[in-house]
Amino acid sequence: MRGEWALKHHFIQLHYGAGEDSPEYEALVFIGFVPADKTYVCHWVDVYGGGYDAPGRGKIDDKLLGIEFRWESKEAALTNKFTFDPQSKTWTSLIRQTEKGEWKTFAEEKWTRK
């Protein structure tokens, strides 16, 4: 994972699979602020193509330590929650999706700064 500002600081770009010679999974994720409604947008572009190309929307929690994005389709719903732990200075990314009407964890990762 590599994160950096992109497009004149309008987005944070997260690069999954960065630094790997031949990653099995690779994605570019762009997170930006939408001033009109004080929300954030998340564009997820990955090796699976444009089937889920709609942006997710989210708001930062009251403590400014987490943000959860949500996507809805006719097949299922998906959330991606990014949470910062100020004590350990780590980020957690939790991706959950519905399967047959139940929420299941798809992936959970912890990140620390190099």
Side-chain angles (χ1 to χ4, degrees):
M1 165 63 66
R2 182 177 66 228
E4 62 191 1
W5 286 107
L7 303 172
K8 296 187 177 186
H9 280 88
H10 289 287
F11 291 91
I12 293 173
Q13 177 184 320
L14 304 176
H15 187 176
Y16 287 77
E20 295 179 33
D21 288 336
S22 151
E24 185 175 317
Y25 180 76
E26 187 174 16
L28 295 175
V29 178
F30 294 89
I31 299 171
F33 183 65
V34 182
D37 58 5
K38 295 184 171 90
T39 62
Y40 288 81
V41 64
C42 182
H43 298 272
W44 197 287
V45 182
D46 68 11
V47 296
Y48 295 114
Y52 296 99
D53 57 353
R57 292 286 181 149
K59 287 192 173 198
I60 289 183
D61 67 18
D62 293 338
K63 296 179 182 177
L64 305 177
L65 297 175
I67 186 167
E68 183 174 60
F69 295 97
R70 187 175 183 97
W71 290 263
E72 297 280 345
S73 74
K74 52 188 166 192
E75 295 87 27
L78 183 131
T79 63
N80 188 182
K81 185 172 185 175
F82 297 98
T83 308
F84 182 68
D85 179 348
Q87 289 187 318
S88 64
K89 296 190 170 140
T90 59
W91 282 93
T92 300
S93 170
L94 175 64
I95 301 173
R96 301 192 63 191
Q97 64 186 18
T98 56
E99 289 180 14
K100 298 178 184 175
E102 290 187 42
W103 284 98
K104 306 271 184 177
T105 297
F106 176 76
E108 185 172 12
E109 298 179 323
K110 285 197 183 263
W111 308 320
T112 58
R113 190 175 184 158
K114 268 187 161 179

